[in-house]
Amino acid sequence: MTMHDDKDTPAVSIVLPVHNGERFLRAALDSILAQTMTDFELIAVDDASSDSTPAILAHYAARDPRIRVITNPSNRKLPASLNTGFAATRAPWLTWTSDDNLLRPEMLARLVEARDAACGADIIHADYVLIDDAGRETGCVATGPANDLLLDNTIGCSFLYRREVDEMLGGYDESLFGLEDYDFWLRARAAGFTFHRIAEPLYKYRRHASSLTNSRAETIHEMVHERLSGEIEAMPRSPTRARARLRLATRNAYRLRPKLVARAFADHPPTVLRHWREIAGWLRHAARLRLRR
């Protein structure tokens, strides 16, 4: 991507990919436009929607000059839509959101404040709240250090990063639909970019039956296994590798991998024994899934 030489360049660019998102799209757009920090642009990428999404986006773009709409001629999926959106951005700092999630009004302002305070950090990220279909809060997720990325996506969904991160990484991997964000953070860490966390929930992540996280859970778990197993195997034998192996096994209740637990035990038995509750919960969840089938 090339930085536009424009005196009116915004401070932050937000990309919003959407495919048939009419149900929650207005609320998502309203949460963006309600930001206390107003120096941003919004690039909405309509991924060939067949519902009222195009009309909703056109209505909002007509109301606010900060919004631009790009329409994919065919459905290209989330990571390709993200790359399309970011190719059109102008700001030095980037973020993206989904059509079913919400930004708290102070999100951009707090991320920018933290960026200024954490001199040199490339990626700023914050905690987030879980909400249900109706927008009711059901929990809070504390993000974690980038050093724990082999255990989970510890960066989460509320973030701001330098344009250079996207440029060096070449954007999102378009073959990893459903895992594109996790893979992006893993590659950013491997490339040596620095992360800074704010211990404050600034985003509302909606869990509902048709969300990608739920609808493609089994496929995504298998993709995670393929993405992480090589890196974990390449680690030296240690408690850290034992923990990573155990986490890789127990995060997926759709497919049991007892050999992975056994290899974790061979690496460091005390680590496995300390997490016996996690193993028990994994087995209970796996049993419930099988009873439903």
Side-chain angles (χ1 to χ4, degrees), residues 4 15-16 19 40 56 63-64 109 130 143 174 191 231 237-238 248 260:
H4 294 244
V15 171
L16 172 64
H19 173 68
F40 65 85
I56 295 169
R63 289 171 42 198
D64 196 313
L130 298 174
T143 57
E174 296 184 12
E231 288 191 41
R237 182 176 180 177
S238 64
L248 186 59
L260 197 53

Side-chain angles (χ1 to χ4, degrees), residues 1-246:
M1 290 185 299
T2 302
M3 184 71 177
H4 294 244
D5 186 13
D6 186 342
K7 65 179 181 179
D8 296 322
T9 297
V12 174
S13 293
I14 307 168
V15 171
L16 172 64
V18 52
H19 173 68
N20 291 342
E22 63 181 6
R23 183 180 179 194
F24 299 114
L25 180 57
R26 291 181 181 85
L29 289 166
D30 287 341
S31 77
I32 296 168
L33 298 181
Q35 290 298 293
T36 58
M37 182 196 138
T38 59
D39 187 12
F40 65 85
E41 66 174 354
L42 172 62
I43 311 298
V45 182
D46 175 18
D47 195 19
S49 297
S50 58
D51 63 359
S52 63
T53 289
I56 295 169
L57 292 176
H59 173 72
Y60 276 79
R63 289 171 42 198
D64 196 313
R66 294 174 297 178
I67 302 175
R68 284 183 285 153
V69 179
I70 298 172
T71 302
N72 291 339
S74 60
N75 182 244
R76 299 186 60 210
K77 307 300 183 187
L78 177 58
S81 294
L82 286 171
N83 290 338
T84 295
F86 283 119
T89 59
R90 298 178 295 146
W93 287 84
L94 309 174
T95 188
W96 65 272
T97 186
S98 301
D99 60 86
D100 48 0
N101 298 331
L102 304 171
L103 283 62
R104 285 189 157 167
E106 68 278 10
M107 189 188 99
L108 288 184
R110 291 290 295 118
L111 289 172
V112 168
E113 287 171 10
R115 175 204 69 187
D116 295 341
C119 299
D122 302 302
I123 299 160
I124 314 296
H125 62 103
D127 299 346
Y128 58 97
V129 171
L130 298 174
I131 59 175
D132 63 14
D133 275 46
R136 294 181 294 257
E137 296 188 6
T138 60
C140 185
V141 177
T143 57
N147 286 342
D148 286 344
L149 271 167
L150 284 180
L151 302 180
D152 215 336
N153 181 356
T154 54
I155 307 308
C157 45
S158 175
F159 50 78
L160 191 65
Y161 55 89
R162 295 181 190 272
R163 172 176 292 274
E164 289 78 9
V165 178
D166 186 75
E167 291 174 339
M168 182 174 288
L169 298 183
Y172 292 84
D173 188 330
E174 296 184 12
S175 71
L176 296 179
F177 175 42
L179 195 66
E180 60 285 316
D181 55 340
Y182 193 5
D183 169 74
F184 189 84
W185 304 132
L186 286 162
R187 290 189 289 126
R189 178 179 176 272
F193 289 109
T194 55
F195 295 75
H196 176 76
R197 174 194 172 225
I198 311 174
E200 179 182 349
L202 298 176
Y203 192 86
K204 295 184 178 184
Y205 182 85
R206 195 185 307 269
R207 297 296 299 268
H208 57 98
S210 57
S211 67
L212 284 177
T213 306
N214 286 343
S215 63
R216 303 186 71 244
E218 188 169 357
T219 300
I220 291 171
H221 278 303
E222 283 304 304
M223 292 168 64
V224 169
H225 184 268
E226 292 177 14
R227 176 65 177 80
L228 297 184
S229 56
E231 288 191 41
I232 293 171
E233 290 303 313
M235 297 169 66
R237 182 176 180 177
S238 64
T240 301
R241 188 172 75 170
R243 180 71 187 106
R245 278 176 161 167
L246 181 63

